[in-house]
């Protein structure tokens, strides 16, 4: 494997852009970039070459970003579910209110466990915690959350709300 200084010179800009796209915060991206190369330096001996150096570095960066997200445990208010479900923001406040109300109605149609998973995830509760409380695996909680959000998107698109 090449020296970390050479990797830094080669991939610094690509990694910074990638981290900016994840964080939407250049200062946080810069911190994560530094942590990425620090961790790469510390674990350089364990790099087995099963992937490219670039893939390895991007994996480290992504894992550090995910760890930072878990530490912060950001909450997602119900008002923002429309944006999460759709991947976009409604154009005006009236449309946002209408969409939020429709999402609440649609979620009310789901069983109690599914509703609990989606609502707790919106509050930033980790899947592992939700799974323990509901007596299911974290993987099941992830799948239920994903499927419910996909169902919400599809339903809202069919109704012309997205």
């Amino acid at each position: 494997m090449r020296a970390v200084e050479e990797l830094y010179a080669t991939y610094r800009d690509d990694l910074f852009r990638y981290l900016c796209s994840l964080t939407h915060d250049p200062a946080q991206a810069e911190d994560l970039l530094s942590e990425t190369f620090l961790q790469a330096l510390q674990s350089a001996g364990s790099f087995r070459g099963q992937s490219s150096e670039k893939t390895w570095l991007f994996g480290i960066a992504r894992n550090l970003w995910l760890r930072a997200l878990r530490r912060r445990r950001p909450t997602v208010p119900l008002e923002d579910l429309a944006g999460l479900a759709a991947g976009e923001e409604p154009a005006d406040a009236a449309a946002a209110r209408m969409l939020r109300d429709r999402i609440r109605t649609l979620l009310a149609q789901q069983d109690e466990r599914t509703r609990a998973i989606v609502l707790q995830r919106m509050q930033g509760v980790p899947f592992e915690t939700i799974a323990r409380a509901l007596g299911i695996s974290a993987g099941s909680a992830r799948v239920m959350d994903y499927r419910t959000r996909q169902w919400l998107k599809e339903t809202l698109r069919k109704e012309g709300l997205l």
Side-chain angles (χ1 to χ4, degrees), residues 46-57:
S46 65
F47 178 70
R48 295 178 298 230
Q50 293 177 322
S51 64
S52 70
E53 294 165 334
K54 183 176 183 177
T55 300
W56 178 63
L57 288 170

Side-chain angles (χ1 to χ4, degrees), residues 53-70:
E53 294 165 334
K54 183 176 183 177
T55 300
W56 178 63
L57 288 170
F58 274 69
I60 292 171
R62 182 178 183 276
N63 287 334
L64 289 170
W65 171 69
L66 288 171
R67 194 175 307 146
L69 281 179
R70 284 186 207 110

Side-chain angles (χ1 to χ4, degrees), residues 96-114:
R97 265 193 312 278
M98 186 170 75
L99 189 55
R100 183 182 61 240
D101 291 344
R102 183 62 182 141
I103 289 170
R104 282 186 179 146
T105 302
L106 290 170
L107 279 176
Q109 295 173 11
Q110 295 295 313
D111 63 276
E112 187 176 329
R113 182 171 65 175
T114 300

Side-chain angles (χ1 to χ4, degrees), residues 7-120:
L7 290 175
Y8 182 80
T10 303
Y11 299 116
R12 170 191 61 225
D13 294 336
D14 290 340
L15 274 168
F16 181 72
R17 281 190 295 276
Y18 173 67
L19 289 166
C20 278
S21 74
L22 294 175
T23 63
H24 305 289
D25 179 2
Q28 184 183 13
E30 189 66 43
D31 290 344
L32 289 171
L33 180 68
S34 298
E35 287 181 51
T36 298
F37 282 101
L38 178 62
Q39 187 167 340
L41 180 63
Q42 292 170 346
S43 60
S46 65
F47 178 70
R48 295 178 298 230
Q50 293 177 322
S51 64
S52 70
E53 294 165 334
K54 183 176 183 177
T55 300
W56 178 63
L57 288 170
F58 274 69
I60 292 171
R62 182 178 183 276
N63 287 334
L64 289 170
W65 171 69
L66 288 171
R67 194 175 307 146
L69 281 179
R70 284 186 207 110
R71 278 194 306 258
R72 284 193 353 225
R73 287 175 120 189
T75 59
V76 180
L78 186 57
E79 292 76 28
D80 292 344
L81 181 59
L84 291 175
E88 55 194 46
E89 298 277 334
D92 59 45
R97 265 193 312 278
M98 186 170 75
L99 189 55
R100 183 182 61 240
D101 291 344
R102 183 62 182 141
I103 289 170
R104 282 186 179 146
T105 302
L106 290 170
L107 279 176
Q109 295 173 11
Q110 295 295 313
D111 63 276
E112 187 176 329
R113 182 171 65 175
T114 300
R115 228 179 9 259
I117 291 169
V118 172
L119 293 173
Q120 287 182 55

